[in-house]
């Protein structure tokens, strides 16, 4: 098995949606699903192209209400290329007599190949070989190369190459009752015999999208000029070429497409730039050469190497992790450094969650922090640009500071839907997920982690600190003092576990004192207070002036940070358990076995119970890790500090006890859940860690939720699995100006090698179960501090150190 390849050896219509998502190619500016070039959207195929940050809003009447949704727009389809032989039917995978089929995603080169052989009418055999790329070198370009061999016949062939702007967003079945026509056609024209272009505009956000494409033909090395018939339909343009195919003389067709939008920098207007880009473009081979070079450089930074005692296991793990890294880079490549975009939870790979940006960044950023932090910096600036909108949202809700939305897209308005469809019952139900205020802890945590890894003081001074301070202010205003408890409380929120949005007997949504939210709020307040010592004095006082921050306000933050309430209850053995929220212990235990027997797959218990006229709010059931998120984000030392600071006692055993308690009560309805569970268990249960890790690995390749991956990859779970190797098994923690290492390789894993960047140093890490070797590349950087086994060492540039464990 080649761990750099993802291969499929037959065409399987049921699997097509999944493969399209997994074979998506992208470069951070745009991405294109791995659909068949000749296909248009139907029950099997869903070709789609998504441009980062290209959103549009539409209204729909649903259940007597007008709702508005903002979606990442499916752009015109540049890929369309189909053919027919001697006036027969246009080639169609589902109807053709396929003799062999091979589809391969080359993970190293980010090139998708499809080779197929089929028998046409009169027993004629034809072979097609197609390669495509979305250029990492030139972010506006994509290319498709097609070779057609007539094996045992000669005759006429027609090729249609089109740009199709007659497109709607129809990638997610349960959104199909919602309006989905985002594009208005402006132009669709033929420019020359080999070039056409079109322009559309999104009908609310008024983003103009232009595409131009050239289609050129070769017989051997000889270019052949063909005169097309031009077909123009509403919003689309196609060139129809006719030529002769000789037996065993392949015809080569290259389609090069360019995409520009009115959001781009350094352009005159998108149409002109798109036409110019394709007119001047190199051939497929030349484009591929540069594209592969760029990917080679990226892999040098992002790759890793493991040795497992089971060689097959090793290959499979490396293959899936590399696939994950590929898709993450394709979603947020170095090209995002110059864009105003975030990380859509489902990548640029499908339409689930409408391309929105959630707290999933929390799982994605650690990978980029330690490999290419410039990318995280750009993504954090997406949040900074929406700080004013977050301030407005806080004010509108009666709070101070900045309240970031649970779902974010174009301008940072709250994009969570008010109603969502339960496909199981057909009911439209109130959606209270916007109450997940913990997104604000995630934004602050991400700022802090980025700073810890990079020590980028300029970023912290000018962007990060302002976000942190405003978020701290929000938490302080959300907290209220409870006389009876003599502590601060946070009321009417939702934690990460989306199964619980209200108390069973209450009409009003929200829960009180979600432990994760309360503790992370305290964590944010403490970090905001730390800024007093970290920021240059002048900058700190400037911020205090501009944000109108007083000593009294800091004093209040300090007081809240010492007196926040954290609910506890006891398990059957009388041990303390951190309650997911206040009152959790009153909820009924759930009949897990009964429901498993009845339904088999109970990952989406919320849908099952709603369809039964019941609600998860009544039970001790979690969709995903909630309390356990604390052990995921904070080391036991940090959690100890936090709880002690709050005057609660903490003993290490609390961690495994809570893990056991909540794992028994979690259905893993979110792919993030398995990542967190593997992570927290990996530290507590070395023998079991590998099994859990491999379970988390399968989330997308095996589409373990049964149908969600075709609607888009799960960027959080993909990054989380890579980060299990990167930070969890290595025990990497960046805290207090020290890079802590605390390796704990799971049973079976013999060694682990990776390169990371920490404070401008390039570090090579090699770990076995008994030894850690660290080397730094020569550079002009200051020494860094490495913490191993409780001791701190200074490491200079160019140094190599070995530590026995
Ligand atoms: C999860 C959230 C997540 C969202 C987007 C939901 O199913 O419950 O935690 O942010 O998906 O990935």
């Amino acid at each position: 098995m080649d761990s750099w390849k993802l291969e499929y050896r037959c065409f399987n219509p049921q699997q097509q949606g999944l493969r399209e998502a997994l074979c998506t190619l992208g470069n951070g500016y745009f991405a294109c699903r791995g659909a068949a070039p000749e296909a248009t959207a139907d029950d099997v195929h869903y070709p789609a192209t998504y441009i980062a940050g290209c959103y549009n809003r539409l209204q729909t009447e649903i259940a007597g209400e007008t709702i508005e949704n903002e979606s990442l727009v499916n752009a015109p389809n540049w890929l369309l290329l189909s053919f027919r032989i001697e006036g027969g039917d246009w080639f169609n995978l589902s109807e053709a007599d396929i003799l062999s089929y091979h589809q391969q995603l080359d993970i190293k080169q980010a090139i998708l190949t499809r080779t197929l052989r089929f028998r046409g009418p009169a027993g004629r055999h034809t072979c097609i070989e197609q390669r495509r790329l979305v250029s990492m070198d030139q972010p506006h370009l994509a290319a498709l190369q097609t070779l057609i061999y007539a094996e045992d016949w000669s005759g006429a062939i027609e090729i249609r190459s089109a740009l199709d702007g007659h497109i709607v967003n129809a990638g997610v079945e349960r959104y199909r009752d919602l309006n989905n026509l985002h594009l208005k056609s402006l132009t669709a024209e033929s420019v020359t015999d080999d070039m056409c272009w079109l322009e559309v505009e999104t009908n609310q956000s008024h983003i103009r999208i232009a595409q131009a494409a050239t289609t050129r033909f070769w017989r051997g090395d000889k270019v052949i000029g063909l005169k097309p018939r031009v077909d123009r339909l509403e919003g689309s343009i196609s060139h129809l070429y006719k030529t002769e195919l000789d037996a065993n003389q392949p015809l080569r067709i290259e389609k090069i497409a360019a995409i520009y939008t009115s959001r781009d920098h350094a352009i005159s207007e998108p149409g002109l730039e798109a036409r110019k880009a394709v007119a001047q473009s190199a051939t497929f081979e030349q484009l591929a050469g540069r594209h592969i070079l760029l990917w080679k450089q990226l892999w040098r930074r992002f790759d890793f190497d493991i040795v497992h005692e089971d060689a097959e296991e090793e290959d499979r793990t490396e293959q899936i992790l590399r696939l994950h890294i590929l898709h993450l880079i394709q979603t947020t490549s170095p090209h995002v450094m110059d864009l105003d975009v975030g990380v859509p939870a489902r990548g640029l790979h499908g339409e689930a969650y409408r391309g929105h940006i959630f707290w999933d960044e929390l799982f994605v950023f650690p990978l980029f922090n330690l490999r290419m932090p410039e990318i995280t910096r750009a993504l954090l600036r997406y949040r900074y640009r929406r700080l004013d909108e977050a301030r407005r949202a806080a004010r509108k809700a009666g709070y101070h500071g900045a309240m970031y939305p649970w779902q974010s897209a174009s301008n940072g308005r709250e994009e969570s839907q008010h109603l969502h469809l339960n496909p199981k019952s057909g009911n439209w139900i109130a959606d209270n997920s916007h109450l997940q205020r913990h997104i604000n802890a995630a934004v602050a945590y991400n700022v802090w982690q980025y700073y810890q890894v990079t020590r980028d003081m300029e970023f912290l001074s000018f962007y990060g600190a302002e976000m942190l301070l405003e978020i701290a202010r929000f938490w302080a205003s959300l907290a209220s003092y409870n006389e009876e408890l003599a502590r601060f409380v946070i009321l009417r929120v939702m934690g990460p576990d989306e199964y619980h949005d209200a108390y069973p007997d209450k009409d009003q949504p929200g829960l009180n004192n979600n432990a994760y939210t309360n503790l992370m709020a305290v964590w944010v307040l403490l970090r905001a207070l730390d800024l007093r010592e970290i920021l240059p004095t002048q900058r700190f006082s400037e911020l205090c002036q501009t944000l109108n921050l007083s000593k009294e306000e800091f004093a209040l933050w300090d007081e809240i940070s010492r007196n926040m309430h954290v609910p506890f209850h006891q398990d059957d053995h009388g041990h303390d358990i951190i309650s997911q929220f206040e009152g959790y212990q009153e909820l009924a235990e759930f009949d897990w076995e009964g429901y498993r027997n009845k339904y088999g797959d109970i990952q989406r218990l919320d849908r099952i119970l709603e369809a039964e006229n019941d609600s998860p709010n009544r039970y001790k059931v979690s969709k995903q890790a909630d309390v356990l998120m604390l052990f995921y984000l904070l080391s036991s030392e940090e959690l100890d500090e936090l709880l002690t600071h709050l005057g609660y006692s903490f003993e290490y055993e609390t961690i495994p006890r809570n893990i056991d308690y909540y794992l028994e009560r979690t259905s893993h309805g979110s792919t993030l859940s398995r990542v967190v569970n593997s992570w927290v268990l990996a530290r507590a249960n070395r023998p079991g860690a590998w099994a859990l890790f491999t379970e988390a690995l399968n989330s997308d390749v095996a589409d373990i939720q049964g149908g969600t991956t075709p609607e888009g990859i799960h960027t959080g779970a993909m990054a989380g699995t890579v980060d299990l190797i990167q930070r969890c098994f290595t025990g990497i923690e960046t805290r207090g100006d020290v890079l802590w290492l605390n390796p704990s390789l799971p049973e079976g894993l013999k060694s682990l090698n990776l390169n990371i960047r920490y404070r401008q140093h390039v570090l090579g890490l090699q770990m076995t179960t008994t030894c850690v070797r660290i080397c730094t590349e020569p550079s002009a950087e200051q020494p860094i501090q490495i913490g191993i086994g409780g001791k701190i060492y200074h490491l200079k540039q160019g140094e190599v150190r070995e530590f026995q464990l």
Side-chain angles (χ1 to χ4, degrees), residues 519-553:
L519 277 161
M520 289 310 290
V522 170
W523 184 93
V524 174
L525 291 170
L526 289 171
R527 297 298 78 82
L529 290 168
D530 287 349
L531 289 174
R532 294 177 299 189
E533 270 78 60
I534 295 175
L535 288 184
T537 328
Q538 189 188 342
R539 182 63 192 143
F540 185 70
S541 73
E542 282 171 6
L543 277 168
C544 290
Q545 280 168 11
T546 48
L547 302 179
N548 209 5
L549 280 163
S550 62
K551 285 214 168 64
E552 291 70 41
E553 201 161 351

Side-chain angles (χ1 to χ4, degrees), residues 563-676:
N563 293 293
M564 180 68 86
H565 175 56
V566 180
F568 288 89
H569 66 275
Q570 300 204 319
D571 64 12
D572 293 345
H573 312 286
H575 295 307
D576 273 349
I577 296 295
I578 302 176
S579 306
Q580 189 170 305
F581 48 82
E582 202 174 312
Y584 179 89
Q585 73 278 16
E586 316 293 341
L587 304 181
E589 289 290 358
F590 185 67
D591 176 13
W592 291 94
E593 213 187 308
Y595 271 77
R596 268 195 198 106
N597 290 340
K598 187 163 166 198
Y599 290 97
D601 180 358
I602 56 165
Q603 290 180 94
R604 291 308 301 262
L605 262 183
D606 52 339
R607 292 179 179 165
I608 293 177
L609 289 172
E610 195 276 335
E612 288 185 346
N613 217 3
D614 199 348
S615 159
N617 277 329
R618 294 183 48 222
Y619 305 100
K620 290 191 177 101
V621 291
S622 299
K623 174 181 180 186
Q624 65 202 93
D626 191 304
V627 168
L628 301 193
M629 280 301 300
L630 290 167
F631 313 135
Y632 177 69
L633 294 182
L634 309 173
S635 62
S636 55
E637 291 84 0
E638 231 179 333
L639 196 61
D640 185 2
E641 260 171 44
L642 204 58
L643 286 166
T644 311
H645 185 81
L646 285 164
Y648 293 107
S649 62
F650 172 82
E651 39 184 45
Y652 180 77
E653 290 65 41
T654 311
I655 298 181
R657 252 185 243 134
N658 275 272
I659 296 178
D660 289 347
Y661 183 89
Y662 285 107
L663 267 189
E664 274 175 28
R665 293 167 175 82
T666 304
S667 79
H668 304 303
S670 159
T671 52
L672 298 174
S673 193
R674 283 199 174 78
V675 170
V676 178

Side-chain angles (χ1 to χ4, degrees), residues 345-346 353 358-360 406 436 496 498 623-624 669-670 672:
R346 307 301 286 275
Y353 287 123
F358 295 65
W359 75 320
D360 304 48
W406 172 240
Q436 292 186 70
E498 297 190 329
K623 174 181 180 186
Q624 65 202 93
S670 159
L672 298 174

Side-chain angles (χ1 to χ4, degrees), residues 308-309 686-690 745-749:
H308 194 274
E309 60 189 26
R686 236 187 105 234
W690 189 259
L745 300 191
E747 224 163 65
L749 190 61

Side-chain angles (χ1 to χ4, degrees), residues 91-99 116 118-119:
F91 180 76
N92 176 340
L93 266 178
S94 305
E95 281 158 22
D97 181 8
I98 307 282
L99 302 173
L116 57 94
F118 64 96
R119 188 168 25 223

Side-chain angles (χ1 to χ4, degrees), residues 453-464:
V453 176
T454 59
R455 209 168 188 285
D456 181 348
M457 188 56 90
E458 282 69 34
F459 175 82
L460 190 69
S461 293
F462 285 94
Y463 308 112

